[in-house]
Amino acid sequence: MWLIYSLLSAFFLALTDAFSKKALITENTPFIAWVRYTYAVPFLLLTVPFIEFPEIDSTFILICILLVPLEITAILLYVEAIKISPLSMTLPFLSFTPVFLIMTSYLILGELPDRSGFVGILLVASGAYLLNVHTIRYGILEPLRAIRREKGAILMIIVAFIFSITSNLGKIAIQHTNPLFFSVFYITLLSIALLPIMLFKNYRRQSEFNNRIKFSSLFKEKNFFIIGICYAIMVISHFKAVMLIEVPYMISVKRMSLLFGIIFGAIFFKETNIKEKLIGGIIMIIGLILISVF
């Protein structure tokens, strides 16, 4: 069951990104970032009867204070990345999170990887190189230069670094509460925190947005409804899997979202050079498994 839940989490994360990119054709980044959390909240609240409510301590509050600005920065960069660049050239770079985790885990937890971890890092880097291997005819370093020219890829690498920090902080927050409570509380908190940013960025369209954020109008926006339910299923599946298996195993399977994202990029947005990107993505996932599991 943990494997099924992990694959569901990967699939619905990639589907959330695909529908977010579709919505970004007419909407701006802060609004879609807000939609991803806000439209998921009603579905996440359905889990409230099953939540064991913990006692909130000062450590949990402090961690949340640190997490929120980092997470908001990350989601704004994340959504901007998938807006301006192909899914197949942005989502694979989330695989750099475990690479950065090695550094942040050493600084925060004093942990160092073994030999398989370093091999995994090389594979992740090799997979990133292969994403643009078709440009090698212009020079051996051209695939790397192509990454540098793809602004969305650079933004996603920054997101991966931020996630390497929030992953450690989130683990501490869960240790002081529980996974299901934290998922519902945290997504709701991020929705509230993003609201003033979204309104500020859209003040010229205030009347339209006032109508959209009314609860009675929540289900009238079909695409936003799909984004919300996909993201909610992703979150619930994620934490169901976490409760059944060790986190590294679950995360390794969840990173299949990179491959789903590449496939959705081809299906929905007619992105090109998909075969080489799939090969690069598979190599990156093998590297992730070596880093995370072994």
Side-chain angles (χ1 to χ4, degrees), residues 15-89:
L15 205 56
T16 300
D17 291 336
F19 279 99
S20 295
K21 186 173 180 65
K22 180 181 177 183
L24 285 162
I25 296 172
T26 56
E27 305 291 349
N28 60 34
T29 294
F31 181 64
I32 296 303
W34 176 79
V35 161
R36 285 168 71 103
Y37 295 133
T38 304
Y39 278 64
V41 169
F43 304 105
L44 291 173
L45 291 177
L46 296 175
T47 66
V48 168
F50 307 99
I51 294 177
E52 179 182 345
F53 287 86
E55 292 186 9
I56 303 300
D57 59 22
S58 58
T59 301
F60 177 78
I61 294 172
L62 176 60
I63 292 298
C64 286
I65 291 172
L66 295 173
L67 272 172
V68 168
L70 288 171
E71 199 77 51
I72 288 177
T73 301
I75 191 60
L76 291 173
L77 293 176
Y78 187 113
V79 175
E80 181 67 14
I82 64 176
K83 177 180 181 178
I84 64 177
S85 297
L87 292 178
S88 57
M89 272 304 298

Side-chain angles (χ1 to χ4, degrees), residues 168-188:
N168 285 305
L169 294 176
K171 181 178 180 179
I172 297 171
I174 290 173
Q175 289 171 344
H176 284 258
T177 52
N178 61 68
L180 194 54
F181 169 83
F182 182 67
S183 64
V184 177
F185 172 82
Y186 191 50
I187 297 300
T188 305

Side-chain angles (χ1 to χ4, degrees), residues 30 194-204 206:
L194 269 168
L195 180 60
I197 299 174
M198 183 275 290
L199 291 175
F200 176 76
K201 292 292 184 179
N202 294 279
Y203 69 95
R204 292 181 181 177
Q206 196 65 55

